[in-house]
Amino acid sequence: MKSSLQASPAPAEQALNQVPPLTEYNLFLTDRTLTEAVSREGAEWAAPHISELGKLLGTEEAQSWGFEADRNEPVLHTHDRHGNRRDEVVFHPAWHYLMRTSVEYRLHSLPWLEKRRGAQVARAALLMITAQNEAGHTCPISMTFSGLAALQAEPELMREWSPKVLSSAYDPRFLPAQEKSGVLLGMAMTEKQGGSDVRANTTRAARIGNSREYLITGHKWFCSAPMCDAFLVLAQSEKGLSCFLLPRWTPTGEKNNFFIQRLKDKMGNRSNASSEVEFANAWARLVGEEGRGVSTIIEMVNHTRLDCAIASAALMRQSLVQAVHHCSHRQAFGKLLIDQQLMRHVLADLALESEAATLLAIRLAASFDARESDQRQRAFARIATAIAKFWLGKRSPVHVGEALECLGGNGYVEESLMPRLYREAPLYSIWEGSGNVICLDVLRALSREPAALDALLDEFRSAKGKDRRLDAYLTRVEADLTGNIKQALKNGGGEIETQARRLAESLALALQGGLMVQHASAEAANAFISSRLSGDHGLTFGTLPPGANLNAILGRMT
Ligand SMILES: Cc1cc2nc3c(=O)[nH]c(=O)nc-3n(C[C@H](O)[C@H](O)[C@H](O)COP(=O)(O)OP(=O)(O)OC[C@H]3O[C@@H](n4cnc5c(N)ncnc54)[C@H](O)[C@@H]3O)c2cc1C
């Protein structure tokens, strides 16, 4: 018989004051900013679909896929046991669950299939909740979604590939596309000598006779998700840098000369395989006009940049959710953390940043919806993509870092979601154009596309009249854009480049301020404007001005 001492756990083994797991919640329905934005922007028709996914992603099982896929990294098999080339990456089953779910819920295809208002916003909401659960697998999902934008430049290829790209069947088998029920697209631009300046690419494309078929030879330093079925590739042909579609298998059903050299040992994004690849006379088809590869692939890049903005907002949202959950259950000094005044300041500040991020990402997605029929929205999307990608990519790592600290030491431990979110966050600023490159793109849009400037000014005008501090900020930014900046852009030279980050920041804050006064609560808009636009804020989160209405701001969270 056990003694009573043996029956009860030793004091050190009692899990006192530990936080219950955050499971069985709906990632969509619990996000008021997102649900409101979805109905405001014409995507109400998709709400049941998004909500269904939101519920699934909140289950313990779906959460475990993210942890498993991250822990059990993909493995490259360059050769089979007989020494033949294999060039296959093998993934943990959890990766396949994630991929299957995202394909079935049409994260890769919705706006291409549903030609109706709100389709981009609906898909942005799907991505926003999915990236909160596991962001790594959204890389091939995003590239597939975006790749179609480039393929449109080649109608014959579009006709051939789009039915399988748009399929809701996830088919991970390594087989020729003809034998599969669904296929995925990737992209390979970056080379050893540089990713920002793709004009320096040395990969060569040799034309086969007079056809639109080419043989590609060269090396790509980053090629993510190499198990995709075909890749948009940049290579130098006779007429200059051109865009190609390079499948893993040739049309005659042989493996293409696509050799995976190794997988990158990455800081984060570990569930996803990112590789170095060698092409040795790999068969490919020209996409768009020969010699105009950058302008062909830029349509794909713009869509992936949209996704970078959405994913950054997603990481901020999930960090906030985790931080608020933890602080709502953990006590210190006799009170729940969420009731400690200084912690309330930190959480409210994080909430404001997250709300403004979501509003900006969804506003951007809405402009992608409208840009098909509205030139003004097209011009807005052009410049707002760069602004949002830069700003949200920069805010997210600091935001996640601060949210992680709200969990104390528990946030630093892999069993919490926080390290995974933290490692993922800087990626969205690096790929698809790193911070400086994107800021220079903002300058490029302003100097070369007058419609982009006009669209931005229109957007600012529509936010005026609701808060005089915001009005003053917008007037200053407008004066800058139409005065100093315009003049400096005209003069050319390097001087204007030194101001590119300051400018991109101010434009992002102007957009966010406008969105907050229009769509957030009065208390949140007020705190956002006094802290971010009127300068009543420190350099860290948790430095909101004393009068900020923390109860109202945090009230929207619970
Ligand atoms: C995990 C991961 C996956 C990736 N997957 C893919 C993929 O699937 N396909 C693909 O093609 N690429 C991929 N990339 C590559 C990525 O797009 C590049 O890393 C990125 O474009 C930057 O290129 P780079 O690394 O060569 O940096 P560089 O071009 O060398 O730039 C280094 C730094 O210099 C800055 N810089 C560059 N030019 C200027 C300038 N004129 N003025 C001021 N600053 C400047 C940049 O902003 C950057 O901060 C991936 C990268 C990562 C990390």
Side-chain angles (χ1 to χ4, degrees):
M1 213 171 97
K2 285 182 182 172
S3 76
S4 59
L5 262 181
Q6 282 170 318
S8 57
E13 287 170 9
Q14 286 175 357
L16 298 176
N17 198 23
Q18 286 287 339
V19 173
L22 176 57
T23 56
E24 310 310 324
Y25 76 108
N26 187 319
L27 273 73
F28 177 58
L29 294 183
T30 50
D31 186 343
R32 207 181 290 182
T33 307
L34 186 62
T35 49
E36 286 174 3
V38 160
S39 45
R40 186 172 62 241
E41 299 293 353
E44 187 66 37
W45 52 268
H49 180 71
I50 308 167
S51 175
E52 192 182 289
L53 181 61
K55 186 175 174 203
L56 172 69
L57 295 174
T59 62
E60 200 175 343
E61 189 188 359
Q63 289 176 358
S64 75
W65 299 338
F67 283 98
E68 289 296 308
D70 188 66
R71 199 172 300 124
N72 299 284
E73 294 178 20
V75 178
L76 170 63
H77 296 268
T78 53
H79 296 82
D80 68 14
R81 69 192 181 112
H82 307 293
N84 302 308
R85 289 295 309 202
R86 185 171 160 198
D87 297 290
E88 230 181 307
V89 179
V90 174
F91 292 88
H92 187 267
W95 165 269
H96 296 299
Y97 293 138
L98 291 162
M99 289 293 294
R100 180 163 293 115
T101 304
S102 289
V103 171
E104 285 177 359
Y105 277 87
R106 297 184 287 156
L107 266 78
H108 68 304
S109 64
L110 193 76
W112 301 109
L113 291 168
E114 298 277 357
K115 299 278 181 204
R116 61 197 280 193
R117 180 167 177 251
Q120 288 281 1
V121 167
R123 189 239 164 218
L126 291 169
L127 179 61
M128 174 104 193
I129 54 178
T130 297
Q132 291 182 54
N133 182 45
E134 204 285 318
H137 83 284
T138 65
C139 167
I141 296 293
S142 171
M143 290 195 293
T144 304
F145 160 67
S146 312
L148 281 173
L151 267 196
Q152 281 179 322
E154 195 68 21
E156 201 186 317
L157 276 181
M158 189 72 179
R159 266 195 303 280
E160 196 181 309
W161 281 82
S162 62
K164 291 213 172 153
V165 175
L166 295 176
S167 161
S168 297
Y170 171 61
D171 187 344
R173 293 172 302 157
F174 186 35
L175 288 174
Q178 311 81 276
E179 296 173 36
K180 295 181 60 166
S181 49
V183 298
L184 300 170
L185 301 176
M187 136 202 301
M189 299 194 292
T190 307
E191 297 188 1
K192 283 186 188 123
Q193 66 278 9
S196 307
D197 184 7
V198 289
R199 290 166 309 176
N201 272 195
T202 59
T203 296
R204 317 277 331 160
R207 192 169 181 184
I208 306 176
N210 275 335
S211 67
R212 290 181 78 74
E213 300 176 20
Y214 288 71
L215 293 176
I216 311 272
T217 300
H219 184 273
K220 295 290 175 182
W221 185 235
F222 275 96
C223 175
S224 285
M227 294 310 287
C228 287
D229 298 274
F231 294 80
L232 277 300
V233 170
L234 287 182
Q236 304 283 358
S237 71
E238 235 173 50
K239 291 191 180 162
L241 197 62
S242 308
C243 179
F244 299 90
L245 185 74
L246 192 157
R248 290 293 317 261
W249 296 75
T250 67
T252 48
E254 283 134 23
K255 274 205 304 174
N256 209 351
N257 293 327
F258 178 113
F259 303 118
I260 308 175
Q261 307 291 54
R262 60 173 172 159
L263 297 186
K264 299 286 194 189
D265 184 4
K266 293 177 289 183
M267 164 180 149
N269 193 252
R270 293 215 190 123
S271 62
N272 181 29
S274 297
S275 65
E276 295 167 20
V277 291
E278 184 95 41
F279 307 137
N281 280 327
W283 183 92
R285 282 262 295 275
L286 182 65
V287 182
E289 199 180 324
E290 187 178 346
R292 295 190 45 79
V294 173
S295 45
T296 304
I297 212 164
I298 201 72
E299 264 305 287
M300 175 175 193
V301 171
N302 282 336
H303 283 74
T304 46
R305 285 179 179 171
L306 162 69
D307 282 4
C308 288
I310 298 166
S312 296
L315 296 178
M316 287 191 243
R317 168 69 193 175
Q318 184 56 213
S319 310
L320 174 69
V321 167
Q322 295 289 335
V324 168
H325 175 74
H326 184 90
C327 293
S328 303
H329 292 89
R330 178 87 164 177
Q331 293 198 10
F333 302 98
K335 268 196 216 170
L336 286 173
L337 286 171
I338 200 163
D339 295 328
Q340 299 285 0
Q341 280 312 309
L342 187 50
M343 183 58 95
R344 287 184 81 69
H345 263 257
V346 173
L347 293 172
D349 213 354
L350 292 171
L352 289 181
E353 197 69 31
S354 168
E355 180 158 27
T358 302
L359 290 176
L360 183 55
I362 297 296
R363 171 67 188 95
L364 180 61
S367 71
F368 271 67
D369 259 328
R371 71 184 203 145
E372 297 312 319
S373 56
D374 182 337
Q375 286 306 318
R376 207 21 86 92
Q377 289 300 311
R378 174 166 287 274
F380 178 76
R382 160 69 186 94
I383 193 157
T385 303
I387 296 169
K389 198 266 187 200
F390 168 69
W391 183 241
L392 302 184
K394 286 291 162 209
R395 296 304 284 161
S396 142
V398 261
H399 184 280
V400 177
E402 191 66 62
L404 182 154
E405 191 176 316
C406 294
L407 279 73
N410 292 319
Y412 201 73
V413 171
E414 290 291 334
E415 284 163 329
S416 84
L417 185 58
M418 303 313 289
R420 185 144 57 86
L421 298 175
Y422 190 62
R423 285 194 298 263
E424 186 77 18
L427 183 52
Y428 298 91
S429 190
I430 294 173
W431 64 10
E432 304 304 335
S434 308
N436 288 350
V437 170
I438 295 290
C439 290
L440 295 176
D441 189 48
V442 172
L443 293 185
R444 192 173 309 113
L446 289 174
S447 68
R448 294 199 194 151
E449 297 176 43
L453 172 60
D454 292 345
L456 210 49
L457 295 175
D458 268 3
E459 188 81 3
F460 294 158
R461 264 175 229 126
S462 67
K464 278 190 168 176
K466 294 177 182 70
D467 184 297
R468 67 189 159 66
R469 296 160 306 167
L470 173 65
D471 291 354
Y473 189 88
L474 293 174
T475 304
R476 258 200 325 276
V477 173
E478 282 165 3
D480 219 19
L481 282 173
T482 50
N484 304 340
I485 299 289
K486 204 168 188 175
Q487 193 51 46
L489 285 167
K490 231 182 234 164
N491 296 343
E495 186 57 27
I496 181 70
E497 290 191 9
T498 63
Q499 300 306 306
R501 279 193 180 228
R502 280 177 76 109
L503 177 67
E505 270 192 38
S506 66
L507 297 178
L509 286 170
L511 288 175
Q512 287 188 317
L515 291 164
M516 290 293 282
V517 291
Q518 290 173 85
H519 309 305
S521 68
E523 294 82 1
N526 180 32
F528 186 88
I529 289 167
S530 43
S531 57
R532 271 73 167 170
L533 271 54
S534 303
D536 199 355
H537 198 260
L539 293 176
T540 58
F541 284 104
T543 52
L544 288 174
N549 188 334
L550 309 183
N551 291 346
I553 297 168
L554 287 172
R556 258 173 93 79
M557 285 294 307
T558 46

